[in-house]
Amino acid sequence: MNREIFNKLIEKGNSDILFIPDMEFLSKEEMEKRKNLYADTYKIDDMTIFAINGGGDFWAWDSSEKVYFVELGSGNCKLFAINLVDAIFRQVIECASGMTMELCTDDEKEEMDEDDAEYYYSESECKQLIEDFIKEFNTHLSEYEKSIVERTLNQELNDENTLLSFEEYQEVIMQLLQGESEEVTNIVR
């Protein structure tokens, strides 16, 4: 299922969904290139690398379709989500929680220097990301995930300049992982 969903995204070239702060989706060629590059260093034989972040860390799914986040230097690997859609959902929720990008009001972003503004997501930009996500993946989401999306879209920035508090974020992640541990393992050969 992960590969099917991923291939549809790549074929569509949906830039709204393919640009998620700090999660860059790879082309099929780049996926293979990265796997060949890292195969001698990391135990990733049964994994499909599909996205990277600005530091080169990567996300990959295994044969059971679970998605893992691997820190490039240390080789630390942790369960990130149960499947690809949940991994994208988690990254969107991390954005709404201010974990991948600083959030600000629309007015604050308008007043920022252009160089500073690239490091911030305005409230409306974050909500647009969430709306694009729900349009693309609505049929794959659980009722719980839909309720989180709806609640987030109806909120304004809180005192921490986020749409979800850290506590709310943690609650969502526990539900997403369905009781599985985020335990870190090392996959360096």
Side-chain angles (χ1 to χ4, degrees), residues 33-152:
K33 183 178 167 185
R34 296 271 175 172
K35 182 155 185 167
N36 291 335
L37 179 66
Y38 301 142
D40 290 341
T41 308
Y42 302 108
K43 301 173 197 168
I44 57 171
D45 299 333
D46 73 333
M47 294 182 140
T48 301
I49 299 171
F50 69 90
I52 59 171
N53 69 13
D57 303 327
F58 60 89
W59 287 267
W61 67 74
D62 67 6
S63 56
S64 72
E65 305 241 329
K66 291 180 181 173
V67 174
Y68 294 87
F69 178 73
V70 178
E71 293 176 0
L72 193 58
S74 67
N76 288 337
C77 174
K78 75 174 184 175
L79 179 64
F80 192 75
I82 301 302
N83 58 51
L84 178 62
V85 172
D86 285 355
I88 297 169
F89 176 74
R90 179 173 178 169
Q91 198 67 12
V92 168
I93 293 301
E94 286 187 0
C95 179
S97 302
M99 298 182 72
T100 57
M101 197 122 177
E102 295 285 331
L103 299 180
C104 63
T105 65
D106 294 341
D107 291 340
E108 288 172 329
K109 179 122 184 205
E110 271 185 36
E111 294 173 12
M112 282 183 191
D113 176 75
E114 194 175 303
D115 292 335
D116 292 335
E118 72 180 272
Y119 298 105
Y120 287 83
Y121 239 40
S122 70
E123 180 176 355
S124 62
E125 288 172 319
C126 187
K127 287 184 176 184
Q128 185 63 55
L129 174 69
I130 296 167
E131 288 171 359
D132 292 341
F133 171 79
I134 194 85
K135 282 181 207 167
E136 186 69 36
F137 296 107
N138 190 41
T139 60
H140 300 285
L141 298 178
S142 69
E143 290 305 314
Y144 175 75
E145 290 167 322
K146 289 176 186 177
S147 73
I148 296 300
V149 167
E150 199 60 40
R151 185 174 84 201
T152 305

